[in-house]
Each structure stands twice: as C-alpha cells, then as structure tokens.
Amino acid sequence: MFTGIITDIATVRAIKKTGDTRFEFTTSFDTSKIVLGASIACNGACMTVIETGGDWFAIEASAESLSRTTLGDLVVGSKVNLEQATRVGDELGGHIVSGHVDGVATLTKRVPEGDSLRLTFEVPEAFAKYIASKGSVTLEGVSLTVNEVDGNTFGINLIPHTQNETTLGSKQPGDRINFEIDMLARYVARMLGKD
C-alpha cells in the first residue's frame, strides 16, 4: 500500500531482458534497509525488490506488468518516481494507492498557469466513469486531485513543488503515463453494479 507521495526520483541504470525484464534503479534510498521482497512503487507500479547494491536496487517486470504500464518504455537513463510501501503509523499525505496500475493515459495538453502547470490527460473510455472532479487519481505514482472531467479527459494542476519533486513536470503532450483510479471509486462502482 502507498500514499502517492514520491520520496525519490531514481535513474534507470540497467535493463536486461530475459524471460522477464530486469530493471536496476540508482536511488538515494538507504538500500541497506531495503529487504529483498519489499514493495516499491516505480512510476506507480508496485514492484518487488529482488536485489540491492550500494546505491541501487533491482526488480523484475513480467509481461503482464509491461503490457499494462509504461515500464516497457523505460531506457537506461530514464527518470522514475519512487515510493516505498507505507508502514503502519506513517502519515497518509496523499490518498490510498494500491500500486496496481489500471492502464496508460496520454498527456494531451500542457498549459502554464502562473507558477503552476495545468495538464490534461486522456484515458481509455472504460475508465472515464471512475474519474470525478475533485476526486483523486494517481499518475506515475503521484497522488493528485482532479480539477475537471470531460468524458474520458481530465485535468490536474501541478504546483511548483510537484513539478520539481516528481517526473511529471517534464512530461510533454503525447507522453504515456501510468494511471491508477481511486480505489474508493472502483468499489462504489462495483457495489452499484456499474462495473
């Protein structure tokens, strides 16, 4: 379980494709405290740590993970938002995030608004019903508030802090973005028989 508050921007240091795809990330996390099998959200996708080194850790992504996320788009040198799993007693600064990416959104518009950025995203039609104005959404692992919704497009606002402390500030129209719908929206839709 995560909160959508990014605590590091890692760099992809190596990618090895075998039966699955191994990714190694250089991080500022204290890797001596990361246990094998720990969960770390990588651009919002909950992944299992399989090895650690002095300033890096490795994960393996299955074909399923690669097909539902943007992890397959990563190359050596790519920047990746990281969040370690929430511990009991940690502050829930964002919202409850499972790390189970629902799909890939596309950034369609980027407009400066004062010091902030207004970003507009398009999601597959099947997910439009789960996104509500002033509700929560997770993009690249970042907990955000939805400003407005129009069909299967929605807008969010990035304050300067979020632009600087996550990879979202550098995204451009056409970029593919991992998204996770709000867990509460998913369960409400299910209870109402709309899923």
Side-chain angles (χ1 to χ4, degrees), residues 107-121 133-134 145-149 154-159 163 168-169 171 173:
L107 177 59
T108 59
K109 194 184 300 182
R110 173 188 164 108
V111 178
E113 284 189 358
D115 292 332
S116 295
L117 276 177
R118 177 64 61 110
L119 302 180
T120 303
F121 296 91
S133 179
K134 302 310 173 195
T145 301
V146 175
N147 286 334
E148 70 278 333
V149 179
F154 65 93
I156 58 102
N157 191 64
L158 290 186
I159 63 172
Q163 293 174 50
L168 289 176
K171 299 298 182 184

Side-chain angles (χ1 to χ4, degrees), residues 84-112:
Q84 291 178 290
T86 302
R87 293 176 176 85
V88 174
D90 283 354
E91 177 182 340
L92 295 177
H95 72 281
I96 296 173
V97 175
S98 69
H100 303 160
V101 172
D102 287 297
V104 176
T106 302
L107 177 59
T108 59
K109 194 184 300 182
R110 173 188 164 108
V111 178

Side-chain angles (χ1 to χ4, degrees), residues 42-44 63-74 78-79 81 101 103-109 119-124 138-141 167-168 170-179:
C42 303
N43 280 348
E64 171 74 7
S65 294
L66 296 177
S67 72
R68 291 190 177 263
T69 72
T70 62
L71 291 175
D73 298 346
L74 297 176
S78 292
K79 300 297 184 188
N81 292 327
V101 172
V104 176
T106 302
L107 177 59
T108 59
K109 194 184 300 182
L119 302 180
T120 303
F121 296 91
E122 182 177 349
V123 296
T138 307
L139 299 171
E140 294 292 270
T167 61
L168 289 176
S170 64
K171 299 298 182 184
Q172 298 297 320
D175 284 352
R176 292 164 24 95
I177 308 290
N178 288 330
F179 77 91

Side-chain angles (χ1 to χ4, degrees), residues 4 10 19 31 40 57 63 66 72 75 96 100-101 112 115 126 150-151 153 164 168 174 180 190-192 194:
T31 57
I40 296 181
F57 69 92
L66 296 177
V75 297
I96 296 173
H100 303 160
V101 172
D115 292 332
D150 182 11
T153 65
N164 296 329
L168 289 176
E180 179 184 329
R190 182 74 172 167
M191 287 172 23
L192 295 174
K194 296 185 178 189

